[in-house]
Amino acid sequence: MNQRLRDTYDCSGDAALPARFTQLPESVLELMYRLTAQRPLDEYLVRAGFAAIVRIREDRIRDALVGSVLTGLLARGATADEVVPLLEVVAGLDDLSIADRPAVAVDAPYRVVVVQGSGKKGIKTVNISTPSCILAAAAGAPVVKVGSRGTGSLTGASDFLQAVGFNADINVQTTIDMVRGIGFGFYNSEITAPSFFRIYKGLFSVPHALVFGISPLLSPLRGDVTLYGLSHPDVGLSARVLVRLGLPDVNVVTTTHDGVHYIDEVGIFGTTSRAVAEEGRVFPTVQFSPAGEFGLGRYEPADIQQRSSVFENVRATVLALAGRGTAAHADLLCANAAVILHTSGVTPTPRAGFSQARECLRDGAALGKLRQIVAESGGPAERLDSHLAHLRPELTRTTDSGV
């Protein structure tokens, strides 16, 4: 785009709009015209138009335009040149910078894996990524889970952890200290980006153009590698976006059983797609059968669907970590922990990671790690015990317990 057009669409000239107005800023109009006409979009126009949209004061108008742009771009087929400026606008709302984030370093030969998910799953499931992180930590991987409350499902990462007693009111340094001390840390991304969440919350239940990088963008810290679950088939685009945002080492995964509905994790059925970037180089996307990779039986989406209530959803996950859940839930956690363990360097292959994770479920190490995490955060053990009270007494302990 030449300088004249940059000046035309410069969002700095679009003052925050009054509650009622008759004319949208030129940058917004041009963005919408080109989007609806399916014409090429320039990154400067995308940045200027979206920046003007998020500054509109009238919620009803702003929400309609945000939804139109983010859904329209994804439906048309977004590119990295379009997604990156959108995410840069989001970063500007809360002064976020990947380059300025503290790095998590541990005294271990393994890589610190920061795990995040896009949410917006095509099928609603039991909790997967958070308990998989706990399981991987029990097996020796240093893991940071960054998440939030559920927006399209019953229990997000924060919902689950708080339901079992985790004290989510912790700062970044405490999260880093927990990773260094016990191999697991959690941070609520809603604390990092309050301005963004005020605009975003409740608008979407399905994927949109920001999902290719929004969760890693909201992380307040950096690890050695980012593992990102995406509820969309284009994991390669997500990897390219994350590299451009300043994350040179990433793994992006997604799974589908029908080519239409995707979950933001490794599955136990269908096909999993994985895109990897190392030192800024994005490799071709690979696909594999998780059932074949891990030697699993036949499962269907119904085997991992979310339960009827928050309490039942949380209890199902606690029982899985205690080695008392369904076979499908256990295999699902092991499959995702296996990818974390392999990515971290704990195991030479995902298959070896699966076996190691399964052993941690069987010998009680996973439940012990969950207890240790709750205790280390300063949370009450009684909440976790409430989900185990109907089992044998030895599984219910209100005292501090570690692995």
Side-chain angles (χ1 to χ4, degrees), residues 298-334:
R298 181 178 177 83
Y299 291 118
E300 302 291 340
D303 296 321
I304 61 170
Q305 66 184 6
Q306 70 180 6
R307 304 302 192 257
S308 59
S309 67
V310 170
F311 181 83
E312 291 300 325
N313 226 38
V314 173
R315 170 170 284 187
T317 303
V318 171
L319 292 180
L321 286 171
R324 301 301 187 85
T326 66
H329 203 169
D331 283 346
L332 188 61
L333 299 190
C334 288

PDB file of all heavy atoms in Angstrom, residues 298-334:
ATOM      1  N   ARG A 298     -11.514 -48.540  19.452  1.00  0.00           N
ATOM      2  CA  ARG A 298     -12.408 -47.671  18.690  1.00  0.00           C
ATOM      3  C   ARG A 298     -13.197 -46.765  19.638  1.00  0.00           C
ATOM      4  O   ARG A 298     -13.889 -47.238  20.536  1.00  0.00           O
ATOM      5  CB  ARG A 298     -13.372 -48.500  17.844  1.00  0.00           C
ATOM      6  CG  ARG A 298     -14.320 -47.656  16.996  1.00  0.00           C
ATOM      7  CD  ARG A 298     -15.214 -48.538  16.130  1.00  0.00           C
ATOM      8  NE  ARG A 298     -16.153 -47.740  15.377  1.00  0.00           N
ATOM      9  CZ  ARG A 298     -15.882 -47.133  14.226  1.00  0.00           C
ATOM     10  NH1 ARG A 298     -14.667 -47.241  13.710  1.00  0.00           N
ATOM     11  NH2 ARG A 298     -16.805 -46.431  13.582  1.00  0.00           N
ATOM     12  N   TYR A 299     -13.078 -45.473  19.435  1.00  0.00           N
ATOM     13  CA  TYR A 299     -13.824 -44.492  20.218  1.00  0.00           C
ATOM     14  C   TYR A 299     -14.624 -43.585  19.293  1.00  0.00           C
ATOM     15  O   TYR A 299     -14.283 -43.396  18.120  1.00  0.00           O
ATOM     16  CB  TYR A 299     -12.880 -43.627  21.055  1.00  0.00           C
ATOM     17  CG  TYR A 299     -12.200 -44.351  22.190  1.00  0.00           C
ATOM     18  CD1 TYR A 299     -10.805 -44.460  22.224  1.00  0.00           C
ATOM     19  CD2 TYR A 299     -12.933 -44.906  23.227  1.00  0.00           C
ATOM     20  CE1 TYR A 299     -10.164 -45.095  23.273  1.00  0.00           C
ATOM     21  CE2 TYR A 299     -12.303 -45.554  24.288  1.00  0.00           C
ATOM     22  CZ  TYR A 299     -10.917 -45.645  24.296  1.00  0.00           C
ATOM     23  OH  TYR A 299     -10.288 -46.287  25.335  1.00  0.00           O
ATOM     24  N   GLU A 300     -15.671 -42.990  19.862  1.00  0.00           N
ATOM     25  CA  GLU A 300     -16.510 -42.036  19.161  1.00  0.00           C
ATOM     26  C   GLU A 300     -16.561 -40.729  19.948  1.00  0.00           C
ATOM     27  O   GLU A 300     -16.264 -40.706  21.148  1.00  0.00           O
ATOM     28  CB  GLU A 300     -17.938 -42.594  19.002  1.00  0.00           C
ATOM     29  CG  GLU A 300     -18.031 -43.911  18.271  1.00  0.00           C
ATOM     30  CD  GLU A 300     -17.687 -43.788  16.793  1.00  0.00           C
ATOM     31  OE1 GLU A 300     -17.745 -42.646  16.266  1.00  0.00           O
ATOM     32  OE2 GLU A 300     -17.381 -44.820  16.166  1.00  0.00           O
ATOM     33  N   PRO A 301     -16.945 -39.614  19.303  1.00  0.00           N
ATOM     34  CA  PRO A 301     -17.057 -38.346  20.031  1.00  0.00           C
ATOM     35  C   PRO A 301     -17.930 -38.428  21.277  1.00  0.00           C
ATOM     36  O   PRO A 301     -17.663 -37.752  22.276  1.00  0.00           O
ATOM     37  CB  PRO A 301     -17.645 -37.399  18.983  1.00  0.00           C
ATOM     38  CG  PRO A 301     -17.140 -37.926  17.681  1.00  0.00           C
ATOM     39  CD  PRO A 301     -17.156 -39.427  17.845  1.00  0.00           C
ATOM     40  N   ALA A 302     -18.975 -39.262  21.228  1.00  0.00           N
ATOM     41  CA  ALA A 302     -19.855 -39.381  22.388  1.00  0.00           C
ATOM     42  C   ALA A 302     -19.122 -39.892  23.620  1.00  0.00           C
ATOM     43  O   ALA A 302     -19.549 -39.647  24.756  1.00  0.00           O
ATOM     44  CB  ALA A 302     -21.023 -40.308  22.055  1.00  0.00           C
ATOM     45  N   ASP A 303     -18.004 -40.579  23.430  1.00  0.00           N
ATOM     46  CA  ASP A 303     -17.255 -41.134  24.562  1.00  0.00           C
ATOM     47  C   ASP A 303     -16.543 -40.058  25.382  1.00  0.00           C
ATOM     48  O   ASP A 303     -16.149 -40.328  26.530  1.00  0.00           O
ATOM     49  CB  ASP A 303     -16.217 -42.147  24.062  1.00  0.00           C
ATOM     50  CG  ASP A 303     -16.851 -43.362  23.411  1.00  0.00           C
ATOM     51  OD1 ASP A 303     -17.885 -43.825  23.927  1.00  0.00           O
ATOM     52  OD2 ASP A 303     -16.310 -43.839  22.397  1.00  0.00           O
ATOM     53  N   ILE A 304     -16.362 -38.864  24.812  1.00  0.00           N
ATOM     54  CA  ILE A 304     -15.638 -37.811  25.539  1.00  0.00           C
ATOM     55  C   ILE A 304     -16.467 -36.534  25.659  1.00  0.00           C
ATOM     56  O   ILE A 304     -15.928 -35.468  25.962  1.00  0.00           O
ATOM     57  CB  ILE A 304     -14.289 -37.490  24.865  1.00  0.00           C
ATOM     58  CG1 ILE A 304     -14.492 -36.976  23.443  1.00  0.00           C
ATOM     59  CG2 ILE A 304     -13.389 -38.725  24.856  1.00  0.00           C
ATOM     60  CD1 ILE A 304     -13.227 -36.415  22.805  1.00  0.00           C
ATOM     61  N   GLN A 305     -17.761 -36.620  25.439  1.00  0.00           N
ATOM     62  CA  GLN A 305     -18.588 -35.421  25.481  1.00  0.00           C
ATOM     63  C   GLN A 305     -18.699 -34.889  26.911  1.00  0.00           C
ATOM     64  O   GLN A 305     -18.566 -35.633  27.882  1.00  0.00           O
ATOM     65  CB  GLN A 305     -19.978 -35.704  24.934  1.00  0.00           C
ATOM     66  CG  GLN A 305     -20.816 -36.665  25.755  1.00  0.00           C
ATOM     67  CD  GLN A 305     -22.142 -36.975  25.091  1.00  0.00           C
ATOM     68  OE1 GLN A 305     -22.406 -36.565  23.964  1.00  0.00           O
ATOM     69  NE2 GLN A 305     -23.006 -37.703  25.797  1.00  0.00           N
ATOM     70  N   GLN A 306     -18.912 -33.575  27.004  1.00  0.00           N
ATOM     71  CA  GLN A 306     -19.005 -32.964  28.317  1.00  0.00           C
ATOM     72  C   GLN A 306     -20.231 -33.482  29.059  1.00  0.00           C
ATOM     73  O   GLN A 306     -21.217 -33.906  28.466  1.00  0.00           O
ATOM     74  CB  GLN A 306     -19.027 -31.441  28.220  1.00  0.00           C
ATOM     75  CG  GLN A 306     -20.286 -30.848  27.631  1.00  0.00           C
ATOM     76  CD  GLN A 306     -20.213 -29.324  27.565  1.00  0.00           C
ATOM     77  OE1 GLN A 306     -19.192 -28.715  27.863  1.00  0.00           O
ATOM     78  NE2 GLN A 306     -21.297 -28.690  27.181  1.00  0.00           N
ATOM     79  N   ARG A 307     -20.155 -33.433  30.386  1.00  0.00           N
ATOM     80  CA  ARG A 307     -21.227 -33.952  31.229  1.00  0.00           C
ATOM     81  C   ARG A 307     -22.370 -32.944  31.339  1.00  0.00           C
ATOM     82  O   ARG A 307     -22.334 -31.873  30.757  1.00  0.00           O
ATOM     83  CB  ARG A 307     -20.683 -34.327  32.599  1.00  0.00           C
ATOM     84  CG  ARG A 307     -19.527 -35.332  32.556  1.00  0.00           C
ATOM     85  CD  ARG A 307     -19.942 -36.630  31.850  1.00  0.00           C
ATOM     86  NE  ARG A 307     -18.959 -37.691  32.044  1.00  0.00           N
ATOM     87  CZ  ARG A 307     -18.074 -38.101  31.161  1.00  0.00           C
ATOM     88  NH1 ARG A 307     -18.034 -37.511  29.971  1.00  0.00           N
ATOM     89  NH2 ARG A 307     -17.237 -39.081  31.421  1.00  0.00           N
ATOM     90  N   SER A 308     -23.354 -33.286  32.123  1.00  0.00           N
ATOM     91  CA  SER A 308     -24.590 -32.501  32.182  1.00  0.00           C
ATOM     92  C   SER A 308     -24.487 -31.272  33.071  1.00  0.00           C
ATOM     93  O   SER A 308     -25.352 -30.400  33.026  1.00  0.00           O
ATOM     94  CB  SER A 308     -25.741 -33.382  32.676  1.00  0.00           C
ATOM     95  OG  SER A 308     -25.451 -33.919  33.962  1.00  0.00           O
ATOM     96  N   SER A 309     -23.449 -31.173  33.900  1.00  0.00           N
ATOM     97  CA  SER A 309     -23.310 -30.037  34.801  1.00  0.00           C
ATOM     98  C   SER A 309     -21.828 -29.763  35.037  1.00  0.00           C
ATOM     99  O   SER A 309     -20.967 -30.604  34.750  1.00  0.00           O
ATOM    100  CB  SER A 309     -23.999 -30.307  36.139  1.00  0.00           C
ATOM    101  OG  SER A 309     -23.320 -31.336  36.851  1.00  0.00           O
ATOM    102  N   VAL A 310     -21.540 -28.601  35.599  1.00  0.00           N
ATOM    103  CA  VAL A 310     -20.160 -28.250  35.929  1.00  0.00           C
ATOM    104  C   VAL A 310     -19.582 -29.251  36.918  1.00  0.00           C
ATOM    105  O   VAL A 310     -18.448 -29.721  36.760  1.00  0.00           O
ATOM    106  CB  VAL A 310     -20.094 -26.816  36.493  1.00  0.00           C
ATOM    107  CG1 VAL A 310     -18.709 -26.528  37.056  1.00  0.00           C
ATOM    108  CG2 VAL A 310     -20.453 -25.798  35.419  1.00  0.00           C
ATOM    109  N   PHE A 311     -20.357 -29.582  37.946  1.00  0.00           N
ATOM    110  CA  PHE A 311     -19.871 -30.510  38.959  1.00  0.00           C
ATOM    111  C   PHE A 311     -19.525 -31.862  38.350  1.00  0.00           C
ATOM    112  O   PHE A 311     -18.463 -32.434  38.640  1.00  0.00           O
ATOM    113  CB  PHE A 311     -20.921 -30.694  40.052  1.00  0.00           C
ATOM    114  CG  PHE A 311     -20.487 -31.622  41.159  1.00  0.00           C
ATOM    115  CD1 PHE A 311     -19.700 -31.152  42.199  1.00  0.00           C
ATOM    116  CD2 PHE A 311     -20.845 -32.962  41.140  1.00  0.00           C
ATOM    117  CE1 PHE A 311     -19.280 -32.013  43.215  1.00  0.00           C
ATOM    118  CE2 PHE A 311     -20.436 -33.826  42.149  1.00  0.00           C
ATOM    119  CZ  PHE A 311     -19.653 -33.350  43.183  1.00  0.00           C
ATOM    120  N   GLU A 312     -20.393 -32.386  37.489  1.00  0.00           N
ATOM    121  CA  GLU A 312     -20.143 -33.685  36.877  1.00  0.00           C
ATOM    122  C   GLU A 312     -18.963 -33.628  35.917  1.00  0.00           C
ATOM    123  O   GLU A 312     -18.196 -34.586  35.796  1.00  0.00           O
ATOM    124  CB  GLU A 312     -21.400 -34.180  36.149  1.00  0.00           C
ATOM    125  CG  GLU A 312     -22.548 -34.550  37.074  1.00  0.00           C
ATOM    126  CD  GLU A 312     -22.169 -35.659  38.040  1.00  0.00           C
ATOM    127  OE1 GLU A 312     -21.391 -36.558  37.647  1.00  0.00           O
ATOM    128  OE2 GLU A 312     -22.639 -35.634  39.190  1.00  0.00           O
ATOM    129  N   ASN A 313     -18.799 -32.507  35.238  1.00  0.00           N
ATOM    130  CA  ASN A 313     -17.663 -32.356  34.341  1.00  0.00           C
ATOM    131  C   ASN A 313     -16.344 -32.373  35.122  1.00  0.00           C
ATOM    132  O   ASN A 313     -15.377 -33.027  34.729  1.00  0.00           O
ATOM    133  CB  ASN A 313     -17.787 -31.037  33.571  1.00  0.00           C
ATOM    134  CG  ASN A 313     -17.503 -31.186  32.089  1.00  0.00           C
ATOM    135  OD1 ASN A 313     -17.873 -32.184  31.476  1.00  0.00           O
ATOM    136  ND2 ASN A 313     -16.852 -30.207  31.512  1.00  0.00           N
ATOM    137  N   VAL A 314     -16.330 -31.644  36.230  1.00  0.00           N
ATOM    138  CA  VAL A 314     -15.131 -31.596  37.062  1.00  0.00           C
ATOM    139  C   VAL A 314     -14.857 -32.956  37.685  1.00  0.00           C
ATOM    140  O   VAL A 314     -13.720 -33.444  37.690  1.00  0.00           O
ATOM    141  CB  VAL A 314     -15.276 -30.519  38.158  1.00  0.00           C
ATOM    142  CG1 VAL A 314     -14.112 -30.585  39.142  1.00  0.00           C
ATOM    143  CG2 VAL A 314     -15.346 -29.129  37.520  1.00  0.00           C
ATOM    144  N   ARG A 315     -15.898 -33.589  38.219  1.00  0.00           N
ATOM    145  CA  ARG A 315     -15.708 -34.892  38.859  1.00  0.00           C
ATOM    146  C   ARG A 315     -15.165 -35.917  37.859  1.00  0.00           C
ATOM    147  O   ARG A 315     -14.268 -36.709  38.201  1.00  0.00           O
ATOM    148  CB  ARG A 315     -17.015 -35.401  39.457  1.00  0.00           C
ATOM    149  CG  ARG A 315     -16.942 -36.857  39.925  1.00  0.00           C
ATOM    150  CD  ARG A 315     -18.140 -37.279  40.732  1.00  0.00           C
ATOM    151  NE  ARG A 315     -18.066 -36.736  42.070  1.00  0.00           N
ATOM    152  CZ  ARG A 315     -18.928 -37.048  43.043  1.00  0.00           C
ATOM    153  NH1 ARG A 315     -19.939 -37.877  42.810  1.00  0.00           N
ATOM    154  NH2 ARG A 315     -18.805 -36.526  44.240  1.00  0.00           N
ATOM    155  N   ALA A 316     -15.674 -35.913  36.643  1.00  0.00           N
ATOM    156  CA  ALA A 316     -15.196 -36.869  35.640  1.00  0.00           C
ATOM    157  C   ALA A 316     -13.698 -36.702  35.401  1.00  0.00           C
ATOM    158  O   ALA A 316     -12.965 -37.687  35.255  1.00  0.00           O
ATOM    159  CB  ALA A 316     -15.962 -36.679  34.331  1.00  0.00           C
ATOM    160  N   THR A 317     -13.227 -35.465  35.403  1.00  0.00           N
ATOM    161  CA  THR A 317     -11.805 -35.207  35.164  1.00  0.00           C
ATOM    162  C   THR A 317     -10.959 -35.602  36.369  1.00  0.00           C
ATOM    163  O   THR A 317      -9.870 -36.172  36.211  1.00  0.00           O
ATOM    164  CB  THR A 317     -11.603 -33.725  34.828  1.00  0.00           C
ATOM    165  OG1 THR A 317     -12.409 -33.396  33.689  1.00  0.00           O
ATOM    166  CG2 THR A 317     -10.153 -33.436  34.506  1.00  0.00           C
ATOM    167  N   VAL A 318     -11.441 -35.310  37.565  1.00  0.00           N
ATOM    168  CA  VAL A 318     -10.727 -35.716  38.774  1.00  0.00           C
ATOM    169  C   VAL A 318     -10.607 -37.240  38.830  1.00  0.00           C
ATOM    170  O   VAL A 318      -9.537 -37.780  39.141  1.00  0.00           O
ATOM    171  CB  VAL A 318     -11.426 -35.180  40.031  1.00  0.00           C
ATOM    172  CG1 VAL A 318     -10.815 -35.791  41.295  1.00  0.00           C
ATOM    173  CG2 VAL A 318     -11.340 -33.661  40.084  1.00  0.00           C
ATOM    174  N   LEU A 319     -11.685 -37.933  38.518  1.00  0.00           N
ATOM    175  CA  LEU A 319     -11.648 -39.394  38.537  1.00  0.00           C
ATOM    176  C   LEU A 319     -10.670 -39.929  37.491  1.00  0.00           C
ATOM    177  O   LEU A 319      -9.976 -40.925  37.735  1.00  0.00           O
ATOM    178  CB  LEU A 319     -13.045 -39.955  38.284  1.00  0.00           C
ATOM    179  CG  LEU A 319     -14.075 -39.714  39.390  1.00  0.00           C
ATOM    180  CD1 LEU A 319     -15.424 -40.317  39.002  1.00  0.00           C
ATOM    181  CD2 LEU A 319     -13.600 -40.291  40.715  1.00  0.00           C
ATOM    182  N   ALA A 320     -10.597 -39.267  36.342  1.00  0.00           N
ATOM    183  CA  ALA A 320      -9.645 -39.703  35.315  1.00  0.00           C
ATOM    184  C   ALA A 320      -8.212 -39.565  35.832  1.00  0.00           C
ATOM    185  O   ALA A 320      -7.388 -40.470  35.650  1.00  0.00           O
ATOM    186  CB  ALA A 320      -9.834 -38.888  34.041  1.00  0.00           C
ATOM    187  N   LEU A 321      -7.900 -38.452  36.505  1.00  0.00           N
ATOM    188  CA  LEU A 321      -6.562 -38.270  37.051  1.00  0.00           C
ATOM    189  C   LEU A 321      -6.283 -39.225  38.204  1.00  0.00           C
ATOM    190  O   LEU A 321      -5.122 -39.549  38.487  1.00  0.00           O
ATOM    191  CB  LEU A 321      -6.383 -36.822  37.522  1.00  0.00           C
ATOM    192  CG  LEU A 321      -6.216 -35.778  36.404  1.00  0.00           C
ATOM    193  CD1 LEU A 321      -6.267 -34.371  36.971  1.00  0.00           C
ATOM    194  CD2 LEU A 321      -4.915 -36.008  35.645  1.00  0.00           C
ATOM    195  N   ALA A 322      -7.351 -39.678  38.865  1.00  0.00           N
ATOM    196  CA  ALA A 322      -7.186 -40.649  39.955  1.00  0.00           C
ATOM    197  C   ALA A 322      -7.112 -42.078  39.452  1.00  0.00           C
ATOM    198  O   ALA A 322      -7.009 -43.019  40.254  1.00  0.00           O
ATOM    199  CB  ALA A 322      -8.342 -40.515  40.943  1.00  0.00           C
ATOM    200  N   GLY A 323      -7.168 -42.257  38.133  1.00  0.00           N
ATOM    201  CA  GLY A 323      -7.151 -43.607  37.569  1.00  0.00           C
ATOM    202  C   GLY A 323      -8.474 -44.319  37.685  1.00  0.00           C
ATOM    203  O   GLY A 323      -8.543 -45.543  37.546  1.00  0.00           O
ATOM    204  N   ARG A 324      -9.561 -43.537  37.912  1.00  0.00           N
ATOM    205  CA  ARG A 324     -10.886 -44.130  38.092  1.00  0.00           C
ATOM    206  C   ARG A 324     -11.896 -43.645  37.054  1.00  0.00           C
ATOM    207  O   ARG A 324     -13.090 -43.864  37.239  1.00  0.00           O
ATOM    208  CB  ARG A 324     -11.409 -43.787  39.495  1.00  0.00           C
ATOM    209  CG  ARG A 324     -10.518 -44.260  40.629  1.00  0.00           C
ATOM    210  CD  ARG A 324     -10.340 -45.780  40.590  1.00  0.00           C
ATOM    211  NE  ARG A 324      -9.638 -46.234  41.771  1.00  0.00           N
ATOM    212  CZ  ARG A 324     -10.215 -46.510  42.936  1.00  0.00           C
ATOM    213  NH1 ARG A 324     -11.510 -46.342  43.082  1.00  0.00           N
ATOM    214  NH2 ARG A 324      -9.489 -46.937  43.944  1.00  0.00           N
ATOM    215  N   GLY A 325     -11.423 -42.985  36.024  1.00  0.00           N
ATOM    216  CA  GLY A 325     -12.330 -42.478  35.013  1.00  0.00           C
ATOM    217  C   GLY A 325     -12.620 -43.495  33.935  1.00  0.00           C
ATOM    218  O   GLY A 325     -12.223 -44.656  34.011  1.00  0.00           O
ATOM    219  N   THR A 326     -13.295 -43.064  32.891  1.00  0.00           N
ATOM    220  CA  THR A 326     -13.593 -43.944  31.776  1.00  0.00           C
ATOM    221  C   THR A 326     -12.318 -44.231  30.988  1.00  0.00           C
ATOM    222  O   THR A 326     -11.350 -43.451  31.035  1.00  0.00           O
ATOM    223  CB  THR A 326     -14.632 -43.317  30.837  1.00  0.00           C
ATOM    224  OG1 THR A 326     -14.056 -42.146  30.229  1.00  0.00           O
ATOM    225  CG2 THR A 326     -15.900 -42.925  31.598  1.00  0.00           C
ATOM    226  N   ALA A 327     -12.325 -45.312  30.253  1.00  0.00           N
ATOM    227  CA  ALA A 327     -11.167 -45.657  29.431  1.00  0.00           C
ATOM    228  C   ALA A 327     -10.912 -44.579  28.378  1.00  0.00           C
ATOM    229  O   ALA A 327      -9.754 -44.236  28.087  1.00  0.00           O
ATOM    230  CB  ALA A 327     -11.385 -47.010  28.768  1.00  0.00           C
ATOM    231  N   ALA A 328     -11.976 -44.029  27.820  1.00  0.00           N
ATOM    232  CA  ALA A 328     -11.822 -42.996  26.790  1.00  0.00           C
ATOM    233  C   ALA A 328     -11.162 -41.751  27.360  1.00  0.00           C
ATOM    234  O   ALA A 328     -10.248 -41.171  26.747  1.00  0.00           O
ATOM    235  CB  ALA A 328     -13.186 -42.650  26.195  1.00  0.00           C
ATOM    236  N   HIS A 329     -11.614 -41.316  28.536  1.00  0.00           N
ATOM    237  CA  HIS A 329     -11.052 -40.110  29.144  1.00  0.00           C
ATOM    238  C   HIS A 329      -9.584 -40.333  29.508  1.00  0.00           C
ATOM    239  O   HIS A 329      -8.728 -39.471  29.285  1.00  0.00           O
ATOM    240  CB  HIS A 329     -11.862 -39.730  30.385  1.00  0.00           C
ATOM    241  CG  HIS A 329     -11.748 -38.285  30.761  1.00  0.00           C
ATOM    242  ND1 HIS A 329     -12.560 -37.693  31.703  1.00  0.00           N
ATOM    243  CD2 HIS A 329     -10.912 -37.292  30.319  1.00  0.00           C
ATOM    244  CE1 HIS A 329     -12.230 -36.417  31.830  1.00  0.00           C
ATOM    245  NE2 HIS A 329     -11.238 -36.153  31.003  1.00  0.00           N
ATOM    246  N   ALA A 330      -9.276 -41.496  30.048  1.00  0.00           N
ATOM    247  CA  ALA A 330      -7.892 -41.806  30.409  1.00  0.00           C
ATOM    248  C   ALA A 330      -6.994 -41.813  29.180  1.00  0.00           C
ATOM    249  O   ALA A 330      -5.896 -41.217  29.180  1.00  0.00           O
ATOM    250  CB  ALA A 330      -7.825 -43.160  31.115  1.00  0.00           C
ATOM    251  N   ASP A 331      -7.440 -42.462  28.117  1.00  0.00           N
ATOM    252  CA  ASP A 331      -6.627 -42.503  26.898  1.00  0.00           C
ATOM    253  C   ASP A 331      -6.475 -41.118  26.282  1.00  0.00           C
ATOM    254  O   ASP A 331      -5.421 -40.778  25.723  1.00  0.00           O
ATOM    255  CB  ASP A 331      -7.250 -43.456  25.882  1.00  0.00           C
ATOM    256  CG  ASP A 331      -6.985 -44.918  26.218  1.00  0.00           C
ATOM    257  OD1 ASP A 331      -6.111 -45.184  27.067  1.00  0.00           O
ATOM    258  OD2 ASP A 331      -7.646 -45.793  25.632  1.00  0.00           O
ATOM    259  N   LEU A 332      -7.512 -40.301  26.395  1.00  0.00           N
ATOM    260  CA  LEU A 332      -7.464 -38.942  25.866  1.00  0.00           C
ATOM    261  C   LEU A 332      -6.414 -38.108  26.604  1.00  0.00           C
ATOM    262  O   LEU A 332      -5.619 -37.390  25.981  1.00  0.00           O
ATOM    263  CB  LEU A 332      -8.842 -38.302  26.000  1.00  0.00           C
ATOM    264  CG  LEU A 332      -9.074 -36.944  25.350  1.00  0.00           C
ATOM    265  CD1 LEU A 332      -8.860 -37.026  23.846  1.00  0.00           C
ATOM    266  CD2 LEU A 332     -10.487 -36.452  25.661  1.00  0.00           C
ATOM    267  N   LEU A 333      -6.392 -38.217  27.930  1.00  0.00           N
ATOM    268  CA  LEU A 333      -5.389 -37.487  28.705  1.00  0.00           C
ATOM    269  C   LEU A 333      -3.984 -37.998  28.403  1.00  0.00           C
ATOM    270  O   LEU A 333      -3.039 -37.212  28.270  1.00  0.00           O
ATOM    271  CB  LEU A 333      -5.677 -37.598  30.200  1.00  0.00           C
ATOM    272  CG  LEU A 333      -7.012 -37.047  30.703  1.00  0.00           C
ATOM    273  CD1 LEU A 333      -7.023 -37.016  32.229  1.00  0.00           C
ATOM    274  CD2 LEU A 333      -7.305 -35.679  30.131  1.00  0.00           C
ATOM    275  N   CYS A 334      -3.840 -39.300  28.285  1.00  0.00           N
ATOM    276  CA  CYS A 334      -2.522 -39.870  27.993  1.00  0.00           C
ATOM    277  C   CYS A 334      -2.015 -39.450  26.617  1.00  0.00           C
ATOM    278  O   CYS A 334      -0.820 -39.182  26.445  1.00  0.00           O
ATOM    279  CB  CYS A 334      -2.575 -41.393  28.091  1.00  0.00           C
ATOM    280  SG  CYS A 334      -2.735 -42.029  29.771  1.00  0.00           S
TER     281      CYS A 334
END
